[in-house]
Amino acid sequence: MKVLGIETSCDETAAGVVEDGRRLLSNAVLSSMDLHKAYGGVVPEIAARSHIEAINPVINQSLEAAQCTWEDIDAIAVTYGAGLGGCLLVGVLTARTLALIHNKPLYASNHVEGHVYANFLTEASPTLSALYALPSTIPSFPMLGLIVSGGHSQLVLWKDHFDYRLLGQTVDDAIGEAFDKVAKILGLPYPGGPSVAQAAKSGNPLAYDFPKAKVAGKYDFSFSGPKTAVLRAAQALIGQDHSFPSHQLPGRLSEAQKADIAASFQRIAIETVVDKTVMAYREFGPVSVVIGGGVAASPELRRQLAERLPIQIEYTDPKLCTDNGAMIATLGCYQVMHGRAQANPMELDIQPNLSM
Ligand code: KG4
Ligand code: ZN
């Protein structure tokens, strides 16, 4: 069974084909990230317009790379939320149209669930197997999932497929968003996760003791406080108070100061999610732990989890952590295999605020 997955919730126009929920046949991704760099973050209108231009070529590329014709595709899965409204619309309307034209069952997929299902890919076609480092076994239940991206920071406990409970989530900024904002304060390029990680390599992670935010919910997170602490520390370093404009900071901080701030922030931000993941592991005793979302590509996150969790995690390839179509195709396969309800191709609507 082969499913085509379509993903357009943010700045990646993506389509992938997955077989039986475990075999990666293609993963075509075109990012409009370069267009957003000048603004230090994703501009929704620019992203939506880019999706319109890219969606058909990306889908065709994913079918071609998978060596599939429409005949070979058994179902279409599309991200219908959460995400940017104008961006989701392009993917959903495209999927609805293709489902009608080619007479294929249509499935509405949750973006955040998709990030987790990227971990269920354990095989790849001969052309892709050298390009993707995949786990050797599929995760077992109960499964604890940590989803950390530009839009989400959530801890979720799965009893079984489609039977899960949200343990906690961020009460303000997502962790990736905090990385992006800190990068902007330091004058590092967007996206902030990789650029903060790069700067952190030459910094001292103990140089600053940024506070870890305290939140009421046992498994909730907060990242807005640490981000503001970075801003205040940077202003204080150059002898200025909180009224000093943040856009003038990069020009006044030395490379060594930026590296120390990057390393210290990265340590605290990652520790925040690892602390609660370890706590949830102890309370619920899951058989497997998986991570998903762009920040799951972070080597520092992988290092801290490996150090502090008593079980080994088999991490998936970083290319499957950031937004992609293969994760939606994988989730789509499980939706088909578990008899989940099909979407009506005449009616499927977007849900920008879809939660877990
Ligand atoms: O999952 P994703 O591609 O899009 C959303 O659903 O949000 O995640 C994007 C986020 C960005 O905030 C980016 O800074 C972060 O993931 N990110 C990383 C890395 N690669 C991307 N953060 C830390 N380390 C990375 N290598
Ligand atoms: Zn995402």
Side-chain angles (χ1 to χ4, degrees):
M1 189 244 314
K2 293 185 181 121
V3 173
L4 168 72
I6 298 173
E7 156 62 42
T8 63
S9 68
C10 193
D11 57 338
E12 273 91 17
T13 312
V17 179
V18 166
E19 190 174 10
D20 299 334
R22 60 167 191 273
R23 193 154 193 266
L24 178 66
L25 300 185
S26 71
N27 190 31
V29 183
L30 192 78
S31 178
S32 58
M33 194 181 290
D34 286 345
L35 301 176
H36 307 288
K37 278 201 161 114
Y39 306 95
V42 175
V43 182
E45 291 78 8
I46 295 177
R49 188 178 307 196
S50 302
H51 287 311
I52 294 173
E53 289 169 5
I55 189 82
N56 283 326
V58 165
I59 290 171
N60 289 337
Q61 195 193 330
S62 78
L63 291 174
E64 218 169 278
Q67 298 181 345
C68 283
T69 63
W70 279 105
E71 296 266 285
D72 305 315
I73 296 297
D74 297 290
I76 300 173
V78 62
T79 302
Y80 76 117
L84 300 168
C87 295
L88 290 167
L89 260 183
V90 180
V92 165
L93 289 176
T94 305
R96 283 172 51 179
T97 310
L98 291 171
L100 287 170
I101 295 174
H102 299 288
N103 197 23
K104 304 290 175 187
L106 178 65
Y107 289 84
S109 303
N110 179 320
H111 179 80
V112 180
E113 288 181 28
H115 272 304
V116 168
Y117 275 78
N119 293 284
F120 285 74
L121 287 167
T122 53
E123 300 166 29
S125 65
T127 40
L128 293 184
S129 59
L131 300 173
Y132 287 82
L134 301 175
S136 60
T137 53
I138 62 167
S140 312
F141 298 101
M143 169 180 86
L144 179 65
L146 171 69
I147 302 109
V148 275
S149 75
H152 309 273
S153 311
Q154 301 181 320
L155 259 176
V156 183
L157 187 67
W158 266 263
K159 262 202 322 211
D160 203 342
H161 292 289
F162 306 105
D163 181 3
Y164 59 76
R165 175 153 82 88
L166 178 65
L167 299 179
Q169 60 189 329
T170 183
V171 296
D172 41 52
D173 294 350
I175 182 170
E177 192 181 352
F179 269 104
D180 296 340
K181 288 178 177 169
V182 165
K184 206 169 178 178
I185 293 169
L186 300 178
L188 303 171
Y190 175 83
S195 61
V196 167
Q198 181 59 30
K201 280 185 188 164
S202 52
N204 173 8
L206 300 173
Y208 298 93
D209 208 9
F210 297 127
K212 277 190 225 169
K214 301 242 181 320
V215 275
K218 189 172 178 188
Y219 291 112
D220 284 343
F221 310 107
S222 162
F223 294 99
S224 131
K227 172 206 69 195
T228 308
V230 165
L231 177 62
R232 299 287 173 257
Q235 288 163 329
L237 257 180
I238 58 163
Q240 297 287 340
D241 68 9
H242 67 273
S243 63
F244 187 80
S246 62
H247 67 270
Q248 288 179 21
L249 282 168
R252 301 278 297 271
L253 293 166
S254 71
E255 293 309 306
Q257 287 170 327
K258 288 180 190 178
D260 282 348
I261 293 176
S264 302
F265 172 76
Q266 176 173 258
R267 174 177 64 84
I268 287 297
I270 298 292
E271 257 177 39
T272 301
V273 292
V274 172
D275 285 350
K276 301 224 164 166
T277 306
V278 171
M279 210 162 78
Y281 178 84
R282 291 207 183 108
E283 179 169 348
F284 301 104
V287 176
S288 56
V289 179
V290 297
I291 59 175
V295 184
S298 158
E300 175 63 12
L301 175 63
R302 293 169 176 220
R303 188 191 67 75
Q304 286 195 24
L305 283 173
E307 200 174 279
R308 293 181 54 195
L309 276 180
I311 56 165
Q312 247 196 322
I313 306 185
E314 279 198 282
Y315 302 104
T316 193
D317 195 283
K319 293 190 285 300
L320 293 169
C321 292
T322 45
D323 291 349
N324 65 85
M327 69 186 200
I328 301 302
T330 311
L331 171 57
C333 287
Y334 279 92
Q335 288 176 279
V336 175
M337 294 189 289
H338 286 258
R340 306 293 290 176
Q342 290 179 24
N344 182 340
M346 298 298 283
E347 286 180 356
L348 176 61
D349 207 353
I350 57 167
Q351 281 197 38
N353 297 318
L354 182 67
S355 62
M356 290 293 282

